[in-house]
Amino acid sequence: MVRSLDLGPDEMLLIQVPEHGGNKRKRDEEEKVVETDVSPPGAKLLKTEVGKAAPSSLAYPGEFSKIAGPGHAITCNRPFEYDTIPLVLLHEAFGIFKDRCEAAPSEQALACLEELAHVGCKWYASEAIRRPEIQSVLQKHMGLRLHEQKVPGTEFTTDGNLITIVMPAAIRECRNEHGDVLFQVILFYGNFLNKALEDPLCYHNCDTRFPSILIVDMGSYLGFYGAAWDGVRVRVEPLTPIFDLSTHWRETKARHAIASSLDALIVAVRNIQAHYDAVEAEAKANPVPSREYDLHLQKARGYPFMTSYNDNGQEITFTYDARLDNAKLIFSATLNQPNSDQCLVKFTRQYSEAAHNYLASRGSAPTLRQCVRVSAEWTAVIMDRSKYQVLYGLSLPEADQENVRRKVKSEMQMLHNEGFVHGDIRDTNLLVDLDSLASDDVVVHFIDLDWAGRIGEARYPIGVNTKTVKRPDGVKSGELITKQHDEDMVSYLFG
């Protein structure tokens, strides 16, 4: 029924028109996206670049090159980069893999290789026929159940992966012969990672870099890669060379290396699976997970996984603050203790703990807290941060230069008397207390004792720089470091 309304001269009728249902839904959806899109730039880039097409399409070199390298979601050292942190320092499983590769193979792995060589070197009409043949051998001998699976929420099916707990501990990509097998398995990893970062359990706020072993097999070739996320990019590096299953059966050393890599795969996968079990338990224990990214945890993913050491039975933890030099693996860190002391953490392949401790006992080196073996090839050196200035670049009067040179020579001679050589005494490896220059006894700190060691044992590393660094005659890769070399290097200071 229609009624007439009598309005006075000072009255106004206002009518509110209901918003169209479709427009309201669209606006609500847009607001919802804004509210839930809390990903940091690295996660957004990953989703944009890796999620824009199927792995089979993006794996073509021309397409893959558009999402790999500096400024992109993936780095596999194409183009080559010199300043990244080695993958073995981002998760312990990769060091475990490489260490196991150096050990003798098990009987189980040798038996697996014997059958794998026969199966892998056959000719197959198609990849679909070859794929299960290889898989059956790996399952029979090594217990690896690499099932073909769709990445959750997609139509992308792998050639095989281990059960997904947070992420698969291993992902396989197969080709009947040659193809873009590596690029495609990296893209499968990226798609699994996208889903893990979006999981309602908020795995992105758990202490993980999402490690995985990538298995590539094509024709008679087999190889293993490590993959992890540093919070900015997917990091991929080879863990082994590409092996050829057609290697002659009498080439024992080469065949044992292949078999040992199968053992390495098993122990690394077990480590990663245990890691993901712990991550899942941590996530489930949080009753109200936050979609907001923990920025401190996000930053920590870009630093080495080692964040503690043992001091007389007490675990001392620390937090990385910054990488001090992109050309070196040296980081500043803060000890998680009441006094919050600053320390330096350096990763190196060798270090003379004994020589450092001797110099520190004389006040001629920073206090060495601990040397920790991270893997067979890497050692973490944790020391107090010196308050002195690096000698390199300092403009000192000649009198001060002579005092510094005299002090360095004196401490070097004491080091020699104790039976050690340094090997790399340069202004870049010396720190000086500027306040002590006016005294009769200048205070200096020796650092970088990577090459130091016992006289008659310590040798120069392969590739020692004799082109842009002035060094004495006789300094060559692999040759002994002598006392005379140290004395000559001291004479070059300020030269």
Side-chain angles (χ1 to χ4, degrees):
M1 181 173 60
V2 178
R3 296 179 182 273
S4 62
L5 295 176
D6 295 325
L7 299 177
D10 297 327
E11 294 178 307
M12 180 181 295
L13 177 63
L14 298 177
I15 301 174
Q16 181 176 358
V17 179
E19 187 173 10
H20 188 274
N23 291 336
K24 185 175 187 300
R25 282 196 302 273
K26 182 178 180 182
R27 190 189 69 184
D28 290 344
E29 290 172 358
E30 289 174 349
E31 289 177 352
K32 183 178 180 181
V33 170
V34 172
E35 290 174 0
T36 58
D37 190 7
V38 294
S39 305
K44 291 178 181 177
L45 185 63
L46 177 74
K47 188 173 183 179
T48 300
E49 294 194 336
V50 173
K52 65 184 180 181
S56 57
S57 299
L58 287 177
Y60 291 107
E63 295 299 317
F64 192 83
S65 64
K66 298 175 184 178
I67 62 173
H72 291 290
I74 296 169
T75 175
C76 57
N77 260 358
R78 295 190 65 183
F80 201 86
E81 299 179 47
Y82 288 92
D83 58 355
T84 56
I85 298 172
L87 202 63
V88 294
L89 301 183
L90 294 182
H91 194 275
E92 64 180 355
F94 304 125
I96 289 172
F97 187 108
K98 288 198 165 189
D99 290 352
R100 182 59 187 85
C101 283
E102 298 302 313
S106 66
E107 293 298 324
Q108 175 189 18
L110 287 170
C112 181
L113 175 60
E114 184 174 354
E115 186 171 354
L116 192 62
H118 285 286
V119 172
C121 292
K122 288 181 180 179
W123 297 105
Y124 295 93
S126 69
E127 176 186 317
I129 299 174
R130 183 180 189 277
R131 186 189 308 120
E133 293 292 310
I134 298 292
Q135 164 53 29
S136 65
V137 176
L138 294 175
Q139 182 170 335
K140 173 184 174 181
H141 292 280
M142 309 305 292
L144 284 172
R145 299 178 181 272
L146 295 162
H147 299 295
E148 297 171 37
Q149 176 192 338
K150 285 185 178 180
V151 178
T154 76
E155 295 301 313
F156 312 147
T157 303
T158 69
D159 284 334
N161 58 268
L162 295 180
I163 186 172
T164 303
I165 303 173
V166 184
M167 288 275 292
I171 308 171
R172 176 192 175 205
E173 185 62 24
C174 168
R175 284 286 184 277
N176 193 26
E177 292 301 329
H178 297 286
D180 305 317
V181 59
L182 174 60
F183 299 159
Q184 191 155 334
V185 75
I186 291 173
L187 291 164
F188 272 113
Y189 171 88
N191 277 280
F192 275 113
L193 177 58
N194 268 330
K195 297 306 171 183
L197 295 177
E198 295 172 351
D199 194 282
L201 288 176
C202 297
Y203 294 131
H204 60 267
N205 279 338
C206 295
D207 186 10
T208 180
R209 293 170 180 81
F210 303 94
S212 186
I213 305 296
L214 308 183
I215 306 169
V216 297
D217 64 274
M218 48 186 175
S220 63
Y221 298 104
L222 177 69
F224 302 94
Y225 291 76
W229 191 51
D230 65 8
V232 177
R233 298 188 291 175
V234 170
R235 296 282 315 284
V236 180
E237 290 179 18
L239 298 176
T240 66
I242 295 294
F243 297 118
D244 193 335
L245 296 174
S246 68
T247 299
H248 195 281
W249 70 277
R250 290 188 184 277
E251 295 290 347
T252 306
K253 184 176 180 180
R255 291 178 63 81
H256 283 187
I258 303 174
S260 289
S261 72
L262 297 173
D263 285 320
L265 174 62
I266 298 304
V267 294
V269 158
R270 287 173 182 164
N271 177 274
I272 295 173
Q273 288 178 324
H275 169 73
Y276 283 140
D277 285 340
V279 169
E280 185 180 51
E282 175 192 347
K284 288 182 176 179
N286 187 353
V288 188
S290 172
R291 293 299 303 168
E292 296 284 343
Y293 272 68
D294 183 329
L295 297 182
H296 293 290
L297 180 60
Q298 184 73 359
K299 180 182 178 182
R301 286 191 172 106
Y303 293 125
F305 73 85
M306 187 201 146
T307 55
S308 67
Y309 65 93
N310 189 284
D311 184 13
N312 295 320
Q314 179 183 4
E315 184 182 31
I316 307 297
T317 63
F318 54 84
T319 300
Y320 293 103
D321 300 318
R323 186 177 180 181
L324 299 182
D325 187 337
N326 283 339
K328 298 180 179 180
L329 296 172
I330 184 166
F331 306 83
S332 63
T334 301
L335 296 170
N336 299 324
Q337 293 179 317
N339 54 8
S340 298
D341 288 339
Q342 293 286 310
C343 67
L344 293 181
V345 185
K346 175 180 180 176
F347 293 86
T348 180
R349 292 184 177 275
Q350 64 181 47
Y351 201 81
S352 178
E353 184 175 1
H356 188 131
N357 278 329
Y358 173 72
L359 288 169
S361 72
R362 295 182 51 78
S364 295
T367 298
L368 182 63
R369 289 181 170 267
Q370 198 74 261
C371 284
V372 181
R373 180 68 70 178
V374 179
S375 69
E377 293 186 344
W378 290 97
T379 295
V381 181
I382 305 146
M383 69 186 83
D384 286 352
R385 186 165 188 171
S386 177
K387 298 179 181 178
Y388 304 156
Q389 298 294 310
V390 179
L391 185 58
Y392 175 77
L394 290 181
S395 180
L396 301 178
E398 288 188 10
D400 288 343
Q401 292 180 13
E402 184 55 37
N403 286 338
V404 169
R405 186 185 292 108
R406 186 183 304 114
K407 179 65 174 185
V408 171
K409 183 176 181 179
S410 172
E411 291 304 307
M412 175 203 66
Q413 289 172 338
M414 296 301 295
L415 185 67
H416 290 172
N417 292 341
E418 195 66 18
F420 297 102
V421 283
H422 186 286
D424 198 22
I425 301 177
R426 293 185 288 147
D427 51 8
T428 55
N429 295 332
L430 292 167
L431 310 177
V432 60
D433 178 6
L434 298 182
D435 293 336
S436 71
L437 290 175
S439 68
D440 294 332
D441 189 18
V442 177
V443 179
V444 297
H445 274 173
F446 287 71
I447 59 173
D448 278 4
L449 284 93
D450 301 36
W451 303 354
R454 288 290 175 183
I455 296 172
E457 297 178 3
R459 293 179 179 274
Y460 290 104
I462 302 300
V464 58
N465 184 3
T466 57
K467 294 181 179 179
T468 61
V469 175
K470 183 179 180 181
R471 298 190 188 278
D473 293 338
V475 173
K476 295 179 181 178
S477 296
E479 293 296 320
L480 286 171
I481 299 171
T482 69
K483 293 191 294 182
Q484 185 61 53
H485 292 163
D486 278 354
E487 292 169 6
D488 290 344
M489 289 297 285
V490 173
S491 71
Y492 300 158
L493 292 174
F494 307 109

